[in-house]
């Protein structure tokens, strides 16, 4: 019978998670800085891979059975688990990048969404006037880009609401409720006229020796209030949100999760530790200071 590891970690174990968190943050920062029209998702993956290798770590995504890449990169109607490759990014694309590093046996896991910069025409797309194959010259309706930015902001905001809630939560369900409340509190999506969609089948998780550990963290309320939140808990908090319905399907590549209605998706994620002195966002270079400031929370370093 398998030994069930406690979901609560010692201070020494939390300290061991600092470096893999910072390496994950550095990899994503490098990718974010490289996002531009014309670059391929495969090239972005190579950038993340190099940062992780240069810091003496390894990609924990490559340790997932059957997966050979350092990142998942999901574009527009793809929400999560997109496979990097030959896809060329266009101005106005919403791109979610998910990445993790394993260092000395401990893991980090984090994701960001980025809007590809570049010239975006304010006028509606006139397909007859546009060579859709020419990189950098595709015209995207500015309202589409504004809606994508709003989607990313709602998703990121819900992640920070969840992180802030973790600082004082008694049970996991308190964090889930804070995430859901933020998303629904944002009002209707400008695309659907209905509340933003929250993926139900994909959830946050504990993280430590393995990238995915117990407990699961739902991004919405459930009847179960969930495990106790107390020092030693480390969670990957990762809302996955759509501008339309919450229904998705897995593409023929057996990985990519795409919205059924073709609406855009966004994914944000941080690995967060709760310890005796407070909360610390392991995958943020500032420990989460900027993201938690609106909540009046100052993160407390672990070491
Ligand atoms: Mg992730
Ligand atoms: Mg994760």
């Amino acid at each position: 019978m398998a030994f069930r590891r406690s979901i609560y970690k010692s201070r020494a174990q939390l300290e061991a998670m600092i470096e893999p968190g910072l390496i994950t943050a550095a990899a994503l920062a490098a990718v974010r800085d490289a996002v531009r029209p014309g670059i391929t998702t495969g090239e972005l993956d190579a950038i993340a891979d190099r940062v992780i290798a240069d810091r003496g770590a390894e990609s924990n995504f490559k340790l997932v059975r059957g997966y050979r890449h350092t990142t998942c990169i999901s574009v527009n109607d793809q929400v999560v688990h997109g496979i990097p490759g030959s896809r060329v990014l266009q101005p106005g694309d919403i791109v979610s990048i998910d990445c993790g590093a394993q260092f000395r046996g401990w893991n980090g896991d984090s994701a960001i969404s980025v809007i590809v910069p570049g010239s975006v025409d304010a006028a509606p797309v006139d397909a007859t006037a546009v060579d859709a194959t020419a990189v950098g010259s595709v015209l995207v309706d500015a309202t589409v880009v504004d809606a994508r930015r709003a989607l990313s902001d709602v998703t990121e905001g819900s992640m920070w609401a969840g992180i802030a809630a973790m600082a004082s939560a008694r049970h996991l369900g308190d964090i889930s409720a804070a995430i859901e409340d933020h998303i629904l509190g944002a009002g209707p999506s400008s695309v659907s006229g209905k509340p933003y969609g929250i993926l139900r089948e994909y959830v946050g998780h504990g993280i430590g020796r393995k990238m995915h550990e117990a407990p699961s963290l739902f991004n919405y309320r459930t009847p179960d209030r969930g495990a106790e939140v107390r020092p030693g808990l480390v969670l990957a908090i990762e809302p996955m949100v759509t501008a339309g319905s919450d229904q998705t399907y897995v593409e023929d590549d057996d990985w990519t999760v795409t919205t059924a209605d073709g609406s855009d998706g966004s994914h944000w994620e941080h690995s967060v530790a709760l310890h005796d002195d407070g909360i610390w966002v392991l995958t943020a270079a500032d420990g989460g200071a900027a993201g938690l400031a609106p909540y009046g929370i100052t993160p407390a370093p672990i070491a």
Side-chain angles (χ1 to χ4, degrees):
M1 194 175 134
F3 172 72
R4 175 118 191 245
R5 188 182 282 127
S6 167
I7 64 170
Y8 307 101
K9 295 171 174 71
S10 69
R11 181 170 286 266
Q13 291 174 322
L14 297 183
E15 285 177 9
M17 295 189 70
I18 294 172
E19 189 62 16
L22 290 174
I23 295 169
T24 302
L28 280 175
V31 172
R32 186 191 57 222
D33 291 348
V35 168
R36 56 179 165 76
I39 198 165
T40 67
T41 55
E43 288 170 317
L44 294 177
D45 186 74
I47 289 167
D49 197 64
R50 199 172 315 123
V51 170
I52 290 171
D54 283 352
R55 299 200 34 173
E58 61 183 320
S59 159
N60 49 23
F61 282 32
K62 286 183 178 173
L63 301 174
V64 174
R65 185 185 299 270
Y67 200 74
R68 301 195 308 277
H69 305 276
T70 297
T71 59
C72 289
I73 303 184
S74 309
V75 184
N76 297 343
D77 61 341
Q78 303 170 343
V79 192
V80 286
H81 301 171
I83 302 176
S86 57
R87 181 165 184 158
V88 178
L89 296 184
Q90 309 289 345
D93 281 348
I94 180 170
V95 187
S96 298
I97 305 125
D98 191 354
C99 180
Q102 184 174 95
F103 182 76
R104 295 183 182 160
W106 294 90
N107 290 277
D109 187 9
S110 183
I112 58 174
S113 292
V114 183
I115 310 294
V116 180
S119 59
V120 172
D121 201 289
V125 174
D126 175 1
T128 61
V130 177
D131 175 4
T133 62
V135 171
S137 69
V138 176
L139 304 184
V140 181
D141 190 326
T143 60
V144 171
V145 179
D146 288 346
R148 287 173 174 166
R149 192 159 286 122
L151 169 65
S152 177
D153 287 348
V154 167
T155 310
E156 182 184 15
S158 73
M159 173 189 69
W160 286 111
I163 295 169
M166 185 178 173
S168 56
R170 296 185 58 199
H171 294 273
L172 290 180
D174 301 335
I175 302 170
S176 302
I179 294 169
E180 180 182 55
D181 285 348
H182 185 95
I183 296 165
L184 299 183
S189 153
S190 65
V191 174
S192 67
K194 295 177 185 158
Y196 285 95
I198 305 173
L199 265 57
R200 318 289 289 189
E201 292 135 307
Y202 303 90
V203 298
H205 51 90
I207 179 168
R209 282 280 187 193
K210 298 203 304 192
M211 178 166 59
H212 295 124
E213 296 184 349
S216 292
L217 176 70
F218 299 97
N219 293 312
Y220 48 90
R221 280 182 176 79
T222 69
D224 184 2
R225 64 183 179 170
E228 237 187 291
V229 174
R230 55 180 166 87
L233 188 64
V234 186
L235 294 174
I237 298 178
E238 52 174 323
M240 290 153 267
V241 180
T242 79
S245 127
D246 60 12
Q247 297 300 302
T248 59
Y249 69 98
V250 177
E251 291 188 16
D252 288 342
D253 61 17
D254 284 338
W255 286 100
T256 311
V257 175
T258 299
T259 59
D261 63 3
S263 63
D264 293 316
S266 175
H267 179 209
W268 280 84
E269 178 178 24
H270 269 311
S271 300
V272 189
L274 187 66
H275 59 103
D276 288 324
D277 304 327
I279 198 164
W280 188 253
V281 181
L282 293 158
T283 47
D286 68 353
L292 288 167
Y295 293 90
I297 297 170
T298 304
I302 293 166

